[in-house]
């Protein structure tokens, strides 16, 4: 893998990450519309159930309370003779509280940053850590290693923002 190919992969991944962060998902607007349709359907089903329950409680014939024709049940939402009652009601869960943003991926990023810093800053002969050696080795890192280091740093910083 050459440096140019590795740099291209890193730039592509960075561009895709920025695109994902800056664009809003298209499904964010759909739950409200689906919820209003689903709640209207649920209200119609509940009203039909109540009418049937009242018929049974009063000893009336099945379907007595329901309108007999489309003209009798004009243009309201309680029109049970429409085509069919849509039974595809989906319960949309309420939003949950946001959990902690510091998870496994941030721990792995922290571990990678620590391992890289100790690897680049330690003296091979004596094993002593030197900040000057770390800075010099950071400047001499290969491009793909800088890319991974950058993504790890971004992943760690992102959890605190």
């Amino acid at each position: 893998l050459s440096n140019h190919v590795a740099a291209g992969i890193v730039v592509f991944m960075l561009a895709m990450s920025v695109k994902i962060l800056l664009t809003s998902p298209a499904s964010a607007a759909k739950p409200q519309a689906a919820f209003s349709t689903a709640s209207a359907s649920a209200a119609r089903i509940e009203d039909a159930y109540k009418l049937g329950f009242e018929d049974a409680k009063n000893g009336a014939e099945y379907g007595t309370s329901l309108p007999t024709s489309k003209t009798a049940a004009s243009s309201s939402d309680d029109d049970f003779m429409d085509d069919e009652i849509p039974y595809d009601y989906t319960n949309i869960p309420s939003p949950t509280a946001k959990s902690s943003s510091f998870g496994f991926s941030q721990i792995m990023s922290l571990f990678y940053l620590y391992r890289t810093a100790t690897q680049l800053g330690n003296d091979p002969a004596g094993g002593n850590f030197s900040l000057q050696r770390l800075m010099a080795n950071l400047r001499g890192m290969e491009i793909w290693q800088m890319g991974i280091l950058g993504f790890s740093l971004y992943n760690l910083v992102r959890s605190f923002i």
Side-chain angles (χ1 to χ4, degrees):
L1 196 64
S2 70
N3 284 341
H4 294 294
V5 173
I9 292 171
V10 168
V11 167
F12 175 75
M13 290 177 66
L14 185 61
M16 294 307 292
S17 299
V18 168
K19 179 186 176 272
I20 289 172
L21 288 174
L22 295 181
T23 58
S24 63
S27 64
K30 286 186 180 179
Q32 287 294 359
F35 183 71
S36 64
T37 303
S39 64
S41 297
R44 289 178 57 187
I45 292 170
E46 187 175 334
D47 288 342
Y49 177 81
K50 285 179 183 175
L51 289 173
F53 180 77
E54 290 297 322
D55 283 349
K57 193 165 83 172
N58 295 334
E61 188 71 29
Y62 173 76
T64 303
S65 298
L66 294 176
T68 56
S69 69
K70 289 209 180 256
T71 58
S74 57
S75 62
S76 70
D77 276 340
D78 295 331
D79 182 11
F80 300 112
M81 299 299 288
D82 219 5
D83 284 326
E84 277 186 19
I85 296 175
Y87 292 104
D88 58 348
Y89 173 73
T90 55
N91 187 11
I92 299 172
S94 62
T96 58
K98 186 177 178 182
S99 63
S100 173
S101 61
F102 196 83
F104 182 73
S105 62
Q106 284 77 22
I107 292 171
M108 292 305 292
S109 293
L110 189 62
F111 173 73
Y112 179 76
L113 290 170
Y114 171 76
R115 187 181 66 92
T116 303
T118 55
Q119 205 173 28
L120 295 176
N122 278 345
D123 183 18
N128 297 332
F129 184 80
S130 168
L131 189 60
Q132 290 80 17
R133 180 176 299 279
L134 173 68
M135 297 307 286
N137 286 338
L138 275 174
R139 289 186 192 108
M141 278 179 73
E142 292 189 30
I143 294 174
W144 67 271
Q145 288 176 324
M146 283 187 195
I148 294 174
L149 190 67
F151 279 125
S152 295
L153 186 62
Y154 167 74
N155 189 25
L156 192 61
V157 169
R158 179 181 57 139
S159 66
F160 296 111
I161 295 177

